[in-house]
Amino acid sequence: MSSRLIDRVRNAQQNVSGDESSGDDFARIKGDLHKEIVGSLDFEQVRKTPREELKARLRRSLSDTIQNRQLPLNRAERDRMVDEILDEITGLGPLEPLLDDDSITDILINGPDTVYVERNGRLERAQCRFNSDQHLMQIIDRVVSQVGRRIDESNPMVDARLADGSRFNAIIPPLALDGPMVSIRRFGRRPLTSDELVQGGSVPKPMLDLLHAATRARLNILVSGGTGSGKTTLLNCMSGFIPDDQRIVTIEDAAELQLQQRHVVRLETRPPNLEGNGRITAEDLLRNALRMRPDRIIVGEI
C-alpha cells in the first residue's frame, strides 16, 4: 500500500460526501464516524494491506459500530453511509457511484457543486457534489499521481487515465475561472465488434470490408474525427483485423486503446517534472519503438 493512501486517509475526514438533501443529522453522524474510523487505523498496517482487503475490513468495522450504537439510521442510510465513507478513503469519493454505472459515457465536473453525466447521448445533472474546491483538487491529484503526472498552478492542465481505462482530463485555476474542471470519457467494458458496428449502422459493410483489407495489407491508416465521433471505437475494432501472431506497439498520451491481441507493448508519453526535465514525447517513443522489432505501430494521437 503506497504512502499516498496514508495521506488520503488522513485528509479524507474533511471530505465526507453527501448531497444537500441528506440532512444535518446524517452528515453529522457520518462525519463523527468517519473521524473515529480514521483515528483508529494503524497506518503501518494500512500500508501493507491490499486495497480490497482493507475495504472489506473498513466495511465490517463501520457496520458493527453503527449496529452496536443503535444510531438513528435505517438500513438504506446505514448502507449509504458505509459506502460513502469507504469511497472517500479507498476510492474517488463522490465519483465512485458514477463510475459504477455502465450507462454513463461521460462525467463532466464544472466545479465542486455542479456535475453532469451523459446517458444515451443526453446530458443530465447528477445528484452528487464535492464539499469544496480543495476536496475536488484532492480527487484530481489522487488520479493524476497514480499515473506519474502532476497538476498545479505551473502545470494547470493534465491528461490521465483511471484504473478502468477511462480518459481523464482536468484543468484548474488560473486557466479555469470557476474552479477545477474535470472531463471523464468512459469506454465500454467490452469493445464493440465489427459486426456490432455494422448492425448498429455506424459503418457500412462495404466500407468495413475495405478497412479490413487495408489493415491486412499493412497500409498506413489515419483515423480522424470530432470529439465523441467514435475514433477510438473504430480503431479498437480495426485492430481486431491484425493477425494475432504480430507484435504491436502502441504509443499514447494516456493509454486508452483496448487491443485484443496477445502480443501488445503499450508505451505512454510523460510530461516534464517540477524542474522541467524528463519529458518524453510521442516522437521519442516512436523512435524507440522502431528498435523494438514491431510488426505494427499504433500512435494514439498526433
Side-chain angles (χ1 to χ4, degrees):
M1 190 69 62
S2 70
S3 60
R4 285 190 174 274
L5 178 57
I6 311 301
D7 296 334
R8 180 187 314 174
V9 172
R10 286 172 170 152
N11 291 331
Q13 59 185 8
Q14 60 186 347
N15 297 327
V16 180
S17 60
D19 57 52
E20 295 179 357
S21 64
S22 298
D24 293 340
D25 290 341
F26 182 86
R28 177 182 55 78
I29 293 172
K30 185 171 62 175
D32 291 343
L33 276 176
H34 192 280
K35 292 178 182 178
E36 183 175 334
I37 292 296
V38 170
S40 66
L41 290 176
D42 181 340
F43 294 126
E44 288 300 321
Q45 188 65 32
V46 167
R47 182 181 292 111
K48 301 174 183 178
T49 305
R51 172 173 168 163
E52 289 305 316
E53 182 181 342
L54 174 65
K55 191 171 184 178
R57 289 182 183 178
L58 290 174
R59 181 178 294 278
R60 287 194 299 269
S61 177
L62 282 169
S63 298
D64 291 344
T65 301
I66 292 173
Q67 181 71 31
N68 293 337
R69 297 185 183 180
Q70 299 182 345
L71 295 174
L73 302 171
N74 59 40
R75 180 175 294 276
E77 289 174 329
R78 291 183 182 188
D79 290 343
R80 175 185 162 200
M81 179 175 293
V82 169
D83 286 338
E84 290 183 359
I85 293 177
L86 286 173
D87 287 343
E88 198 64 52
I89 293 177
T90 66
L92 298 180
L95 290 180
E96 288 294 327
L98 304 182
L99 294 172
D100 288 337
D101 188 342
D102 290 339
S103 68
I104 294 176
T105 54
D106 280 279
I107 302 172
L108 308 172
I109 304 170
N110 304 336
D113 299 320
T114 308
V115 180
Y116 283 89
V117 298
E118 181 184 274
R119 285 190 178 94
N120 302 318
R122 297 179 64 87
L123 287 176
E124 58 186 66
R125 185 78 175 264
Q127 297 301 313
C128 71
R129 62 184 296 275
F130 297 84
N131 287 351
S132 62
D133 282 352
Q134 181 184 12
H135 183 197
L136 178 52
M137 279 300 304
Q138 287 178 357
I139 298 297
I140 293 173
D141 182 66
R142 189 178 302 172
V143 171
V144 302
S145 63
Q146 288 174 348
V147 293
R149 307 205 171 194
R150 64 182 180 87
I151 186 168
D152 51 40
E153 288 189 2
S154 63
N155 186 50
M157 297 185 296
V158 70
D159 284 312
R161 67 180 185 278
L162 301 182
D164 64 357
S166 298
R167 180 192 306 158
F168 182 95
N169 174 270
I171 181 168
I172 65 174
L175 300 186
L177 302 182
D178 299 317
M181 304 289 166
V182 175
S183 303
I184 301 175
R185 165 59 56 83
R186 305 191 62 211
F187 301 102
R189 300 184 188 275
R190 181 183 63 82
L192 294 175
T193 65
S194 57
D195 290 340
E196 289 172 328
L197 291 182
V198 172
Q199 292 170 4
S202 298
V203 182
K205 184 64 166 61
M207 178 56 69
L208 193 64
D209 291 339
L210 174 63
L211 294 175
H212 189 172
T215 302
R216 299 286 294 194
R218 301 197 185 199
L219 299 183
N220 292 329
I221 301 174
L222 176 66
V223 180
S224 66
T227 300
S229 61
K231 300 183 296 297
T232 302
T233 298
L234 178 60
L235 186 53
N236 280 325
C237 175
M238 291 172 57
S239 71
F241 302 148
I242 301 174
D244 197 49
D245 60 352
Q246 293 188 4
R247 176 177 169 86
I248 305 171
V249 178
T250 67
I251 299 171
E252 301 177 83
D253 287 333
E256 60 189 34
L257 294 175
Q258 297 174 297
L259 305 188
Q260 304 306 304
Q261 283 77 7
R262 294 174 298 178
H263 200 161
V264 178
V265 178
R266 301 197 304 162
L267 305 179
E268 192 174 65
T269 61
R270 187 178 70 183
N273 58 23
L274 290 173
E275 291 75 29
N277 303 318
R279 182 185 182 192
I280 303 296
T281 66
E283 180 181 2
D284 298 326
L285 294 178
L286 177 60
R287 186 179 300 111
N288 190 81
L290 296 174
R291 306 187 180 102
M292 300 175 68
R293 198 265 177 211
D295 291 301
R296 309 272 183 157
I297 297 178
I298 300 178
V299 182
E301 297 178 79
I302 59 173

